Amino acid sequence: KDDSWLGSSFIDLVLSRFAREYPEVHFMPIEFAAFRLKTMKTSDMRQATDILGRPINYELEKPVVFLANVANMHWNLLRVQHWPLKELQLFEPLGKPPQRAASMASKRPLGSMGSGRGRGGGGERGVSMRYIPQHITHWLDTCWPLDRIYERRGPSQLPPAALGPHGLAASASSTISAASSASRPSRRRGRPGPLDAPASQAKFEASKGGKGGRAGAGNGLPSWQAKGLSAITTQHQMTGFDCGVACLLYAEKCGQGMMREDINAGTSQQDFTKFRHALQERIRELDVPEGD
């Protein structure tokens, strides 16, 4: 139907298609962020697999794309981006949350309105944990640590606040293209960035309430929580039912390598409507009566 919400099974079906078409990006199943990450231990995080069952190689730093459901009512898309900057990008079809947007505007110094933004809006730093839950940033802090000094120099040269009670680091410092083919995406592939040296296993065991504490939480080490930003700065979704369709279109554009500024500037409700119709056409192609 034109006004129906998309279910998680259908979303996973489309994401699996994207994963085959865009192998340079990891697409994660719906249950990854919604359920699995909440109970994963460090060893499980290190062995996480994408929707096609391919293990995530944390030394290659490929983008990771997945959906999150806010209060079981609304879909958002998240992308872990490593190049040109490390960012945890939130694609919220409704744009920046109004209260936070108003708060940021009121705190901005006079004369600085619009500064630091690129074409189509440069994103707003700082995203509430309602939109990026803590277990997501914990996974990234554990498996893609922002503090590479530990790998190069060892714990003795880290600040004291970053050390646990036993001298170990306190944490690990982690289509159907009918609607998107109107403009050719700017393809900027991420650059492989292997770790300078293998991380100490003891470092990763410090997560999930271990002896060293939780990754990036008040221990002097940088956290992915500070890398969160709103990739969509204006409202794209104008209906009450297109959030799932919007996130799938965002996902395909991410798979194509588009930068967040280009996605923000080049997407509208009209694109969501076209994309929904493209999805419906594909479903009808698969719905062949028996005997035909």
Side-chain angles (χ1 to χ4, degrees):
K1 296 180 180 181
D2 286 340
D3 60 351
S4 61
W5 288 15
L6 299 187
S8 57
S9 298
F10 181 79
I11 290 176
D12 275 348
L13 178 63
V14 178
L15 290 178
S16 64
R17 183 181 180 89
F18 291 164
R20 293 183 177 90
E21 190 167 351
Y22 308 111
E24 296 302 315
V25 175
H26 283 297
F27 292 88
M28 308 303 288
I30 291 294
E31 50 94 21
F32 175 74
F35 303 108
R36 283 167 51 190
L37 268 183
K38 295 179 181 179
T39 59
M40 274 185 172
K41 297 181 179 179
T42 299
S43 58
D44 299 324
M45 293 179 185
R46 300 291 296 174
Q47 299 175 38
T49 57
D50 65 16
I51 198 166
L52 297 181
R54 300 178 302 191
I56 297 178
N57 186 337
Y58 292 103
E59 295 186 356
L60 295 182
E61 298 189 336
K62 292 168 66 172
V64 180
V65 173
F66 55 95
L67 273 72
N69 196 305
V70 179
N72 201 30
M73 295 176 59
H74 181 70
W75 292 112
N76 287 328
L77 184 82
L78 292 164
R79 174 167 65 173
V80 180
Q81 188 81 347
H82 298 279
W83 183 87
L85 297 173
K86 290 187 178 297
E87 295 177 341
L88 180 53
Q89 301 169 355
L90 170 68
F91 291 83
E92 159 61 271
L94 297 176
K96 295 193 298 290
Q99 291 184 348
R100 181 165 55 84
S103 175
M104 294 293 290
S106 65
K107 295 178 182 178
R108 193 174 290 123
L110 186 64
S112 66
M113 189 70 71
S115 63
R117 292 175 180 266
R119 177 165 52 93
E124 202 70 82
R125 294 282 174 180
V127 179
S128 167
M129 280 191 282
R130 178 187 176 187
Y131 297 91
I132 302 181
Q134 199 169 24
H135 59 267
I136 292 176
T137 54
H138 171 62
W139 160 58
L140 294 173
D141 288 336
T142 301
C143 296
W144 266 313
L146 295 173
D147 182 18
R148 299 302 191 193
I149 297 177
Y150 184 94
E151 279 81 24
R152 293 197 297 269
R153 301 178 182 175
S156 61
Q157 298 188 40
L158 285 177
L163 300 177
H166 299 281
L168 299 176
S171 77
S173 297
S174 91
T175 346
I176 301 162
S177 56
S180 59
S181 59
S183 61
R184 187 67 178 172
S186 58
R187 300 181 64 85
R188 306 180 191 180
R189 296 184 180 274
R191 297 176 178 175
L195 300 179
D196 298 290
S200 168
Q201 181 64 29
K203 177 184 177 183
F204 294 106
E205 293 304 325
S207 66
K208 284 291 184 184
K211 294 181 178 180
R214 187 169 48 76
N219 52 22
L221 296 178
S223 171
W224 278 88
Q225 187 70 42
K227 298 296 183 180
L229 58 81
S230 294
I232 306 303
T233 59
T234 58
Q235 183 173 349
H236 290 169
Q237 179 189 342
M238 301 300 175
T239 69
F241 50 82
D242 270 328
C243 57
V245 173
C247 289
L248 286 178
L249 181 56
Y250 292 148
E252 180 168 37
K253 291 186 174 188
C254 289
Q256 293 170 339
M258 293 183 68
M259 306 299 288
R260 58 176 170 82
E261 295 89 348
D262 298 324
I263 298 175
N264 183 46
T267 310
S268 67
Q269 175 61 51
Q270 185 178 7
D271 297 316
F272 301 154
T273 302
K274 291 180 180 178
F275 194 68
R276 174 181 284 273
H277 292 161
L279 293 172
Q280 290 171 335
E281 285 296 323
R282 294 307 302 267
I283 293 174
R284 280 192 282 268
E285 291 174 6
L286 297 174
D287 188 17
V288 179
E290 293 184 9
D292 287 4

